[in-house]
Amino acid sequence: MVLLALGPLAVLAVASVARGWRWPLLWPAEWGGEAWRYVFAGESGMGEALGASAGLAAAVTVCALAMALPAARVLAWRRFAGKRAVFFVLLLPVFAPPFAAGMGLHALFLRLGLAETWAGVMLAHLMPAVPYA
């Protein structure tokens, strides 16, 4: 199981420092760190993008857990009318096609002025994150 989980990540790690790793070769013929130098170079803007992505991921994770944990506790331990409906609504983003949900959210965010904003991107990522949390 560990090999199945970490094997593809190991291949990606080797490929990130390989130069010209072609099909029949089991191991790269040349090594180089140009890709990583580009990522961490100040003029590429990649460091800023990675920082923004990490911040967004952390914010979505915290918000998804803050919403999902109380909902899961109530759904697990309480009896109330409409419990199945609430459960269905919370899991609806898992059942809906991602493209349709994304297009619907984009249209809504355009009307609300949230399109192309950090808050809009966070809310769009929260939709599929909450059911899985």
Side-chain angles (χ1 to χ4, degrees):
M1 292 296 272
V2 171
L3 183 62
L4 287 174
L6 297 180
L9 295 175
V11 171
L12 284 174
V14 171
S16 74
V17 292
R19 186 184 308 148
W21 191 8
R22 302 290 183 248
W23 152 240
L25 299 176
L26 292 177
W27 202 246
E30 295 182 53
W31 299 92
E34 291 85 16
W36 287 104
R37 280 192 288 277
Y38 178 75
V39 166
F40 292 109
E43 64 272 0
S44 70
M46 292 293 290
E48 183 182 337
L50 287 172
S53 294
L56 180 69
V60 168
T61 301
V62 168
C63 290
L65 288 175
M67 293 166 62
L69 288 176
R73 186 174 177 91
V74 168
L75 286 171
W77 296 104
R78 304 276 188 222
R79 291 178 191 227
F80 57 91
K83 182 177 180 177
R84 287 182 185 239
V86 170
F87 190 71
F88 178 74
V89 168
L90 284 174
L91 289 178
L92 195 58
V94 175
F95 302 131
F99 182 76
M103 292 305 291
L105 281 175
H106 192 281
L108 176 66
F109 287 178
L110 282 172
R111 280 190 229 131
L112 296 176
L114 289 172
E116 298 181 18
T117 66
W118 199 84
V121 173
M122 190 179 91
L123 288 172
H125 281 87
L126 265 175
M127 291 300 292
V130 170
Y132 287 107

